[in-house]
Amino acid sequence: MRWSIGIAAFLMLSLGAAVAAERWDMPMAYADSNYHTQNGKRFAEAVGVCTGGELEIVVHGGGSLFKGNEIKRAVQTGQAPIGERLLSAHQNENPLFGFDSVPFLATSFEASDRLWQAARDRLMEVLLEQNLILLYAVPWPPQGLYFNREITAIPDMAGIKFRTYNAATAKLAQLAGMVPVQIEAAELGQALATGVAEAFVSSAATGYDRKVWEHLSHFYDVQGWLPRNYVFVNQDSFDALDEHAQNCLRAAALLAEVAGTTRARELADWYRAQLTANGMIVLSPDQQLAADLAAIGATMSAAWSTLSGPDAAAILEAFESD
């Protein structure tokens, strides 16, 4: 309904100046069934309607065009004009990219939205320096921990091979005494099946998408953080469009951010219920595990603030004062 109303509004916009007919390929890392990819497809449809079909965006989900860790570079260098990637996957480039993955800093959708608003302007500046324009970002549901056995405290995690997807999750693994293994989402199922990974942290959405109940038994709903996927466009490609097409991209992005965030909220409880329905044990952490994780979170938060310097101070001040 939200997208139908939005697209109808774009019919009015599309009466403006036309742009030269053009096709853009949009690589995305997650499966076609995932709500991020579905949201990206509706974004693409909205752009097509708004431009009267003169700008066609074709979404390629599941890392089929470029693997997840290749997407940002592909867009920066013009191999693809537009793409989506997990924001914190680029934390090694600049600590700022990891603001949304500081454990236990923003643990609800409301807090995540406030943190996003606090960081957005500075993030846009950093991306412009990399020949990229930020269009929109959508959060995942709160992160939880997946294991193949009961975990009551940090010592229970010792030696477990832990799938990581960014610098923050690798650090979490190290502080908990686990063995970090970098694995893209598209390769997670195979890694679990072959024993390359034995545990990981992610939302219930990833667990559902990858049917992890086939390999793991426990999901601890620790509400760690809400990482974001963001959509960005190559600045040269954007600048080559006329003003009407640029406005269409920005307007569709506004709709996509609202619609995608709303969908994430709607699906959060449903995903957890699906894990239970498929035989997983879904639990809140007990007192000792919660305390152990909080201590790790405090350590990581301090480290991120130190690495990010003035940017972190400004973001945290804006976030805490809101």
Side-chain angles (χ1 to χ4, degrees), residues 239-261:
D239 290 344
L241 300 173
D242 70 15
E243 184 178 3
H244 176 67
Q246 292 176 353
N247 288 338
C248 285
L249 280 170
R250 293 194 185 280
L254 288 173
L255 277 175
E257 186 160 307
V258 172
T261 301

Side-chain angles (χ1 to χ4, degrees), residues 34-59:
N34 184 268
Y35 74 94
H36 284 286
T37 309
Q38 291 296 315
N39 194 52
K41 289 183 176 182
R42 294 187 182 100
F43 161 78
E45 291 170 6
V47 172
V49 171
C50 183
T51 61
E54 295 299 328
L55 177 58
E56 178 189 11
I57 298 178
V58 180
V59 172

Side-chain angles (χ1 to χ4, degrees), residues 18-283:
V19 298
E22 189 169 355
R23 167 180 162 144
W24 282 10
D25 289 312
M26 180 176 174
M28 302 182 74
Y30 295 89
D32 285 336
S33 60
N34 184 268
Y35 74 94
H36 284 286
T37 309
Q38 291 296 315
N39 194 52
K41 289 183 176 182
R42 294 187 182 100
F43 161 78
E45 291 170 6
V47 172
V49 171
C50 183
T51 61
E54 295 299 328
L55 177 58
E56 178 189 11
I57 298 178
V58 180
V59 172
H60 302 269
S64 58
L65 186 61
F66 291 98
K67 293 181 179 179
N69 60 359
E70 300 171 343
I71 291 175
K72 181 170 178 282
R73 183 63 180 169
V75 178
Q76 279 183 268
T77 58
Q79 298 175 68
I82 187 172
E84 182 198 56
R85 179 63 168 145
L86 181 74
L87 179 63
S88 58
H90 307 131
Q91 189 173 352
N92 284 334
E93 295 179 23
N94 185 327
L96 177 67
F97 287 115
F99 75 87
D100 62 352
S101 295
V102 178
F104 308 107
L105 174 61
T107 60
S108 67
F109 282 102
E110 293 77 14
S112 174
D113 287 343
R114 289 192 290 110
L115 184 60
W116 172 237
Q117 295 306 319
R120 182 170 190 155
D121 287 349
R122 179 58 186 133
L123 178 65
M124 290 176 67
E125 293 173 358
V126 171
L127 290 172
L128 281 172
E129 294 169 0
Q130 299 179 345
N131 198 39
L132 296 171
I133 294 174
L134 172 68
L135 289 180
Y136 70 88
V138 170
W140 288 91
Q143 301 288 279
L145 290 163
Y146 291 85
F147 290 98
N148 59 5
R149 61 177 181 266
E150 182 180 8
I151 300 292
T152 61
I154 290 299
D156 296 338
M157 303 179 189
I160 290 175
K161 289 178 283 187
F162 190 81
R163 174 255 176 168
T164 66
Y165 59 78
N166 61 15
T169 53
K171 188 63 175 178
L172 173 65
Q174 292 170 352
L175 291 174
M178 295 185 285
V179 180
V181 184
Q182 178 76 29
I183 298 169
E184 289 293 326
E187 301 162 351
L188 178 58
Q190 182 180 3
L192 294 173
T194 58
V196 172
E198 301 169 308
F200 67 102
V201 59
S202 192
S203 69
T206 299
Y208 174 77
D209 286 345
R210 300 299 168 189
K211 298 181 179 180
V212 299
W213 51 81
E214 295 177 353
H215 312 290
L216 304 179
S217 58
H218 288 66
F219 176 72
Y220 289 90
D221 190 15
V222 300
Q223 306 274 311
W225 61 90
L226 286 75
R228 288 178 177 264
N229 282 9
Y230 72 124
V231 170
F232 43 91
V233 60
N234 177 280
Q235 184 173 4
D236 296 330
S237 297
F238 183 85
D239 290 344
L241 300 173
D242 70 15
E243 184 178 3
H244 176 67
Q246 292 176 353
N247 288 338
C248 285
L249 280 170
R250 293 194 185 280
L254 288 173
L255 277 175
E257 186 160 307
V258 172
T261 301
T262 300
R263 188 60 174 152
R265 288 173 176 266
E266 293 170 346
L267 286 171
D269 290 338
W270 183 85
Y271 279 130
R272 285 193 295 269
Q274 293 307 302
L275 297 183
T276 299
N278 283 281
M280 292 200 76
I281 300 171
V282 177
L283 302 167

